[in-house]
Amino acid sequence: MLCTRLTNARFLTMDPDHPVAHDLGIWQGRIVGLDEAVTSLPAREVVDLQGATVLPGFIDAHVHLAWTGFKQNTPSIAGRTRVDDVLAAVAEAVARTRVPGDWVSIAGYDQRALGRHLTAADLDKVSDGRKLYLLHDSGHGCVVNTAVLDLLPAGIPHENGFLAEQAMGAARALRLPYSQEDLAEAIGRAARTCLAEGVTACAEAGIGGTLFGHSPVELGAYQLARDKDLLPLRVQLMVSADRLRPVTAHEADGIPRALDLGLRTGFGDDRLRVGALKIWTDGGMMARTAALTSPYEGLDHAGQLQDDPEALTNLIVDGHLAGWQLAVHAIGDRAADVALDALERAQRLRPRPEARHRIEHAGLIRPDQIPRFARLGVSAVVQPNFLRCFGDDYASIMGEERAPWMYRGKAFLDHGIPLVGSSDRPVADGSPLRAVQFMVERASASGRLIGPDEAVTVGQALHAYTVAGARACHWDDRLGSLTPGKHADLVVLADDPRRVDTSRIGDIEVVETYVEGRPARPRD
């Protein structure tokens, strides 16, 4: 007997052997059959989906759950365009704290809305003895007041209180880590938001590190979230590469650096497991720190790498030798050169074609770099909503020649490069459906077309958020398509993205989200 049979729906299975179905049977959380194989079987529950469209649950291959959850509960200055208004909002947050010397965190900082960066002197006017920390929306910088600057180690570079990349990490290190309880609650809040948008599995893009880590015991917080039933979707945890340390392993293993006990990609189970090793090579376009081969339009610099190229290369090679899948953050084309050179060296030293290494973001990729992606077999894990949300700004700082190279789609597919969809939530909108719409339209929120030749079909965009996401996370044997034997993780939509006008795809209602064959929509 089936546990559940879902009927009267259009199942877009993403499985070429059975692309469309009308019935789906579930037993103990797994899909056991489609159509005639299950239609006549008895079931404890039969659910009439009333003509809805059903897809495999969306996979967000690059997200920051803990950061998302904390941002949802942090005072924000997002949307304010005047410095005086921002400072007034900061003063309100300061007034809600009780003890002089406390830290006050503010979210939503973006200098582009203000026309300039805030300065430490600006913040000093409203700090009232507190330590102020305004995290840039990109996650690649922060602005602090003098009370924080005075605590930094000598030699930490800053620009009138704005700290970028590793300098930001020095400011974060001054604070106590979040508790595991607080982390678990934040993770749960973010997970419920993901479920509401049809996401049933995701990859947390960096835990425990200097840039994005919230605690040296962050993995334990995810375990706590699962134990407390706060983790209703599947999560893969990318470990920040700065957690590796030299180890004395047997010379036959060839492992120069590792996590304690040799933990690496694949440890865990179907609900929570260790994923790729996350390596940052540059910054981001929002903060103007993505590393380019030519300067930003209108600026006198070309961004920055996170470290010396040789040090970055050694880290990538060591991670590969230790058996990790690698997720290499590379937004600018200069950073992509460093990443591709290092991956090529690593595969030459110890060929591992099954590793499925990934380039995270691939934000600006020159035409000559695309064949290298293909030869190395790496996936491009892109964030289409970046251009939907920020495309006008990004196009202006890249200029006419480079703008069409941003967050490519068709060029990757034409060269056989796996195109993987993701959000980088909370940096940008997390909705997979709105991202799918952009991938087809290539239009920013204002309607500006950005690289229209990179447009893909609706089917290809859905593939990026299902089949390709599963493959990139080594989940393809259990997720990504509605195939018998795989987990019954699926999303029920009010309309078929392939049949509505393209401009309506992003507004399709997510009716229900199933994980392991059970409705899993967020609790109120």
Side-chain angles (χ1 to χ4, degrees):
M1 175 181 285
L2 300 174
C3 295
T4 307
R5 178 163 59 86
L6 304 180
T7 188
N8 188 20
R10 181 183 298 112
F11 293 91
L12 307 183
T13 69
M14 307 306 293
D15 181 346
D17 292 335
H18 195 145
V20 180
H22 53 77
D23 273 29
L24 181 145
I26 300 169
W27 185 70
Q28 294 190 350
R30 298 267 183 172
I31 299 167
V32 295
L34 303 166
D35 291 341
E36 290 75 15
V38 297
T39 301
S40 61
L41 294 179
R44 294 193 186 98
E45 180 183 31
V46 176
V47 180
D48 184 343
L49 293 176
Q50 301 179 350
T53 296
V54 182
L55 281 156
F58 296 127
I59 296 171
D60 190 334
H62 184 119
V63 67
H64 298 279
L65 289 180
W67 178 15
T68 298
F70 282 124
K71 186 174 182 179
Q72 290 171 344
N73 274 18
T74 299
S76 177
I77 55 174
R80 291 172 172 81
T81 58
R82 297 177 63 249
V83 170
D84 287 347
D85 292 341
V86 166
L87 294 179
V90 174
E92 290 178 12
V94 166
R96 290 195 292 270
T97 62
R98 297 180 179 179
V99 181
D102 275 356
W103 285 88
V104 178
S105 295
I106 304 291
Y109 176 61
D110 186 344
Q111 85 286 354
R112 298 174 302 174
L114 302 174
R116 69 170 177 87
H117 273 300
L118 293 177
T119 67
D122 291 328
L123 296 180
D124 288 345
K125 299 174 185 176
V126 295
S127 60
D128 193 25
R130 274 62 168 179
K131 304 180 187 75
L132 301 186
Y133 183 98
L134 281 64
L135 179 63
H136 195 274
D137 266 348
S138 68
H140 288 273
C142 66
V143 61
V144 300
N145 64 342
T146 301
V148 177
L149 294 178
D150 288 345
L151 298 174
L152 290 172
I156 297 294
H158 70 90
E159 184 178 339
N160 298 320
F162 181 74
L163 299 103
E165 308 302 341
Q166 298 298 332
M168 176 190 71
R172 291 180 68 131
L174 297 172
R175 310 178 63 174
L176 284 173
Y178 289 101
S179 72
Q180 287 196 342
E181 287 282 351
D182 287 345
L183 273 164
E185 292 291 335
I187 291 161
R189 283 192 295 273
R192 294 191 293 273
T193 301
C194 291
L195 279 176
E197 295 179 338
V199 175
T200 58
C202 65
E204 165 68 63
I207 64 168
T210 301
L211 281 181
F212 284 94
H214 296 88
S215 167
V217 291
E218 196 166 355
L219 191 150
Y222 279 85
Q223 291 178 293
L224 179 61
R226 183 175 65 175
D227 293 344
K228 296 180 66 174
D229 198 26
L230 296 173
L231 197 63
L233 73 172
R234 303 181 196 281
V235 177
Q236 199 173 89
L237 302 172
M238 299 185 200
V239 176
S240 294
D242 53 4
R243 293 295 95 194
L244 298 186
R245 62 181 184 85
V247 295
T248 306
H250 194 283
E251 62 180 16
D253 293 334
I255 299 176
R257 280 187 270 185
L259 289 186
D260 288 345
L261 303 178
L263 291 177
R264 59 175 175 82
T265 303
F267 181 80
D269 57 29
D270 281 347
R271 294 303 291 257
L272 182 63
R273 66 190 300 188
V274 175
L277 185 72
K278 179 69 180 294
I279 300 170
W280 281 269
T281 63
D282 69 344
M285 289 186 189
M286 290 172 65
R288 311 319 195 217
T289 53
L292 313 178
T293 50
S294 300
Y296 291 90
E297 287 287 312
L299 299 177
D300 61 358
H301 70 86
Q304 64 190 80
L305 294 171
Q306 293 285 356
D307 204 339
D308 175 79
E310 189 61 26
L312 293 171
T313 296
N314 290 338
L315 186 56
I316 290 169
V317 170
D318 286 354
H320 172 89
L321 294 178
W324 288 88
Q325 179 191 23
L326 304 180
V328 185
H329 168 116
I331 291 184
D333 58 332
R334 183 184 176 209
D337 280 334
V338 171
L340 293 169
D341 287 347
L343 290 171
E344 186 170 22
R345 181 191 295 185
Q347 290 284 17
R348 188 167 57 246
L349 288 172
R350 182 177 296 170
R352 286 178 53 216
E354 79 292 346
R356 301 185 190 179
H357 295 323
R358 311 157 35 147
I359 299 291
E360 307 299 301
H361 306 294
L364 186 75
I365 301 300
R366 303 186 309 269
D368 64 287
Q369 293 174 314
I370 296 173
R372 295 195 68 195
F373 270 74
R375 284 198 307 273
L376 289 169
V378 298
S379 298
V381 183
V382 299
Q383 297 77 40
N385 275 331
F386 275 17
L387 291 189
R388 191 181 69 82
C389 298
F390 315 127
D392 294 352
D393 173 63
Y394 284 12
S396 69
I397 61 173
M398 289 300 119
E400 185 176 354
E401 179 185 12
R402 293 183 293 186
W405 304 346
M406 293 192 296
Y407 297 93
R408 292 176 179 269
K410 187 174 185 294
F412 287 136
L413 293 178
D414 286 349
H415 285 78
I417 299 163
L419 176 65
V420 183
S422 69
S423 70
D424 204 15
R425 187 194 304 262
V427 178
D429 180 0
S431 165
L433 286 171
R434 287 191 283 273
V436 165
Q437 179 175 324
F438 174 82
M439 295 173 79
V440 179
E441 289 183 331
R442 297 288 300 190
S444 71
S446 73
R448 177 175 181 170
L449 293 180
I450 302 173
D453 290 343
E454 292 294 333
V456 301
T457 68
V458 175
Q460 289 169 330
L462 293 173
H463 188 278
Y465 279 89
T466 54
V467 178
R471 182 186 181 279
C473 295
H474 289 271
W475 273 326
D476 46 320
D477 62 338
R478 67 204 74 178
L479 298 175
S481 65
L482 302 181
T483 301
K486 292 190 176 182
H487 292 297
D489 294 3
L490 46 90
V491 56
V492 181
L493 304 177
D495 284 300
D496 185 341
R498 307 172 310 166
R499 298 190 177 190
V500 302
D501 186 88
T502 302
S503 64
R504 290 185 52 219
I505 293 174
D507 294 324
I508 293 174
E509 178 189 0
V510 175
V511 177
E512 188 56 88
T513 307
Y514 282 73
V515 176
E516 291 188 351
R518 295 186 295 273
R521 289 298 290 272
R523 302 190 300 266
D524 292 331

